[in-house]
Amino acid sequence: MRPISSPPPGSDPFVRRLTALTLVIITLMLLWWSLPLIESLFTPKVGGVRTVTARGDLAADERATIELFEKSRDSVVFITTARLVQDIWTRNVFAVPRGTGSGFIWDDAGHVVTNFHVIEGASEATIKLADGRDYKAALVGVSPAHDIAVLRIGVGFKRPPPVPIGTSHDLKVGQKVFAIGNPFGLDWTLTTGIVSALDRSLTSESGATPIQHLIQTDAAINPGNSGGPLLDSAGRLIGINTAIYSPSGASVGIGFAVPVDTIMRVVPQIISQGRYIRPTLGIEVDERLNERITAMLEIEGVVVLRVTPGSAADKAGLKGATLTPDGGIIPKDVIVAVQGKQVDSASKLLALIDDYNVGDTVQLTIVRDGQKQEIGVVLQPGA
């Protein structure tokens, strides 16, 4: 018998077909990867010149935004502040840069409105106009309670236009707003957004009485925007950008602006008198003590602790609390509303009174001996 021998390697038809198919696949893959190179070898070298595609007309809202910025830009200023420091060895005085901010032209007399915290602690301020001119600014006056300051520059010719004035009492959540300022020193920057909320309150940087009636917006506001104008879609001033709510100090879509109705009440007084004189009732209240007493009485309002003799409140017949020999307090009058608006804290009472002017008569709703009654008080100037 003839011995049976093994088939030579590669003689199996299945193995041959599999090997051939693998080679075809590899060849096709190499060809596919090489196509761009092959194509480039046969493509004429024309320098990569492209034809510009026609833009067409801008959208109507784009044209409106561009026009608003171009009209408003010249009314916005760039503020840099410095603090004078004396060298303890040489006794030489030199200026140390302190910070930057924004502001806007208020009138033709050269008054510039900005935030109080922009110039707080500074010894001097320089204002740069949109056309590049620089001026040393003089301080006219401030109102820390509203975070408002007024400066003045002497512009002899080509005076920049004052920003048009709008209103804030009729603002609606959802309205478009536009902020122009100098964030991080990047001058004349425009950001847009909407009114996110109204009548917000925010504790000032000094930690004093909270600033009331603020406009909340999602327009990007960053350090350097402070003091700049917040405008409506007609280009009118509706607020001063004053603060952002952010742990990092950068915009997170929550910014605040002092409303123009407050500005219109405060700024003219600062210009004419050098300061803002708050209207008052002539009473003493205490926020922390008030919380404890009203909780004990189970009532929302403000306890009148003391009435200043001869004050507007005294003339109107308001009664203060009585102190007992053991240091206790027996409340008499509790203010629960001003002109029909509910009062639930001392800061709210101050804010509501501040909406009026010295000499105005406001109607107070008080609770005395468990009974509600109305008392009219003529507001007097504060200290």
Side-chain angles (χ1 to χ4, degrees), residues 54-74:
R55 165 63 176 81
D57 294 336
L58 294 172
D61 62 331
E62 291 178 303
R63 293 196 302 270
T65 301
I66 293 169
E67 182 180 2
L68 180 145
F69 176 73
E70 291 177 346
K71 284 185 175 180
S72 305
R73 182 178 184 272
D74 290 345

Side-chain angles (χ1 to χ4, degrees), residues 42-100:
F42 293 96
T43 302
K45 302 297 186 293
V46 293
V49 177
R50 296 291 307 280
T51 301
V52 175
T53 303
R55 165 63 176 81
D57 294 336
L58 294 172
D61 62 331
E62 291 178 303
R63 293 196 302 270
T65 301
I66 293 169
E67 182 180 2
L68 180 145
F69 176 73
E70 291 177 346
K71 284 185 175 180
S72 305
R73 182 178 184 272
D74 290 345
S75 301
V76 183
V77 303
F78 186 17
I79 301 175
T80 56
T81 61
R83 185 177 181 181
L84 297 180
V85 177
Q86 186 179 49
D87 189 293
I88 60 173
W89 303 108
T90 65
R91 299 297 180 181
N92 292 329
V93 178
F94 54 94
V96 176
R98 183 185 170 277
T100 62

Side-chain angles (χ1 to χ4, degrees), residues 33-379:
W33 289 336
S34 303
L35 277 177
L37 177 61
I38 296 172
E39 184 180 8
S40 66
L41 293 175
F42 293 96
T43 302
K45 302 297 186 293
V46 293
V49 177
R50 296 291 307 280
T51 301
V52 175
T53 303
R55 165 63 176 81
D57 294 336
L58 294 172
D61 62 331
E62 291 178 303
R63 293 196 302 270
T65 301
I66 293 169
E67 182 180 2
L68 180 145
F69 176 73
E70 291 177 346
K71 284 185 175 180
S72 305
R73 182 178 184 272
D74 290 345
S75 301
V76 183
V77 303
F78 186 17
I79 301 175
T80 56
T81 61
R83 185 177 181 181
L84 297 180
V85 177
Q86 186 179 49
D87 189 293
I88 60 173
W89 303 108
T90 65
R91 299 297 180 181
N92 292 329
V93 178
F94 54 94
V96 176
R98 183 185 170 277
T100 62
S102 306
F104 54 88
I105 303 297
W106 178 256
D107 56 24
D108 290 326
H111 290 108
V112 174
V113 176
T114 185
N115 284 142
F116 168 67
H117 76 261
V118 169
I119 56 93
E120 184 180 12
S123 303
E124 59 183 39
T126 301
I127 291 179
K128 183 178 183 180
L129 303 182
D131 60 11
R133 289 181 290 168
D134 291 330
Y135 293 90
K136 290 293 183 182
L139 178 63
V140 176
V142 301
S143 175
H146 303 94
D147 198 17
I148 294 175
V150 180
L151 308 174
R152 188 173 184 180
I153 56 175
V155 183
F157 64 97
K158 290 180 62 179
R159 294 181 178 178
V163 63
I165 301 297
T167 57
S168 54
H169 64 272
D170 53 355
L171 290 175
K172 303 293 184 184
V173 173
Q175 269 188 247
K176 285 185 178 180
V177 292
F178 304 82
I180 302 178
N182 307 281
F184 303 110
L186 302 172
D187 52 2
W188 287 274
T189 298
L190 172 70
T191 55
T192 66
I194 61 169
V195 174
S196 301
L198 296 166
D199 204 21
R200 297 297 200 200
S201 62
L202 189 68
T203 302
S204 63
E205 292 188 358
S206 62
T209 304
I211 306 172
Q212 304 287 341
H213 304 318
L214 295 176
I215 302 166
Q216 181 183 327
T217 176
D218 66 347
I221 296 174
N222 287 291
N225 271 112
S226 292
L230 186 70
L231 308 173
D232 64 11
S233 57
R236 306 180 310 158
L237 178 73
I238 57 171
I240 304 177
N241 300 315
T242 189
I244 55 175
Y245 183 80
S246 168
S248 66
S251 177
V252 292
I254 302 178
F256 298 95
V258 178
V260 71
D261 290 355
T262 298
I263 301 168
M264 286 289 285
R265 191 175 66 255
V266 173
V267 168
Q269 277 201 45
I270 294 177
I271 292 174
S272 63
Q273 303 182 42
R275 65 190 183 101
Y276 174 68
I277 301 175
R278 299 193 73 155
T280 63
L281 297 169
I283 63 174
E284 291 183 13
V285 297
D286 183 275
E287 191 75 87
R288 292 183 180 179
L289 192 57
N290 186 74
E291 291 178 359
R292 295 202 298 268
I293 297 175
T294 52
M296 179 183 65
L297 297 175
E298 297 183 345
I299 188 174
E300 280 196 349
V302 175
V303 177
V304 179
L305 297 178
R306 180 176 177 272
V307 175
T308 304
S311 67
D314 188 27
K315 294 174 183 177
L318 278 175
K319 305 295 182 182
T322 303
L323 292 177
T324 62
D326 59 354
I329 296 176
I330 302 175
K332 187 65 174 178
D333 287 350
V334 180
I335 301 173
V336 296
V338 176
Q339 292 291 120
K341 295 180 180 179
Q342 201 71 26
V343 171
D344 57 8
S345 65
S347 59
K348 183 67 172 181
L349 173 63
L350 293 175
L352 289 175
I353 294 298
D354 195 54
D355 289 340
Y356 300 91
N357 297 309
V358 173
D360 289 348
T361 299
V362 295
Q363 204 72 16
L364 304 181
T365 304
I366 68 168
V367 174
R368 178 185 295 172
D369 299 328
Q371 301 295 319
K372 279 189 178 182
Q373 56 180 286
E374 302 290 324
I375 293 181
V377 181
V378 180
L379 298 178

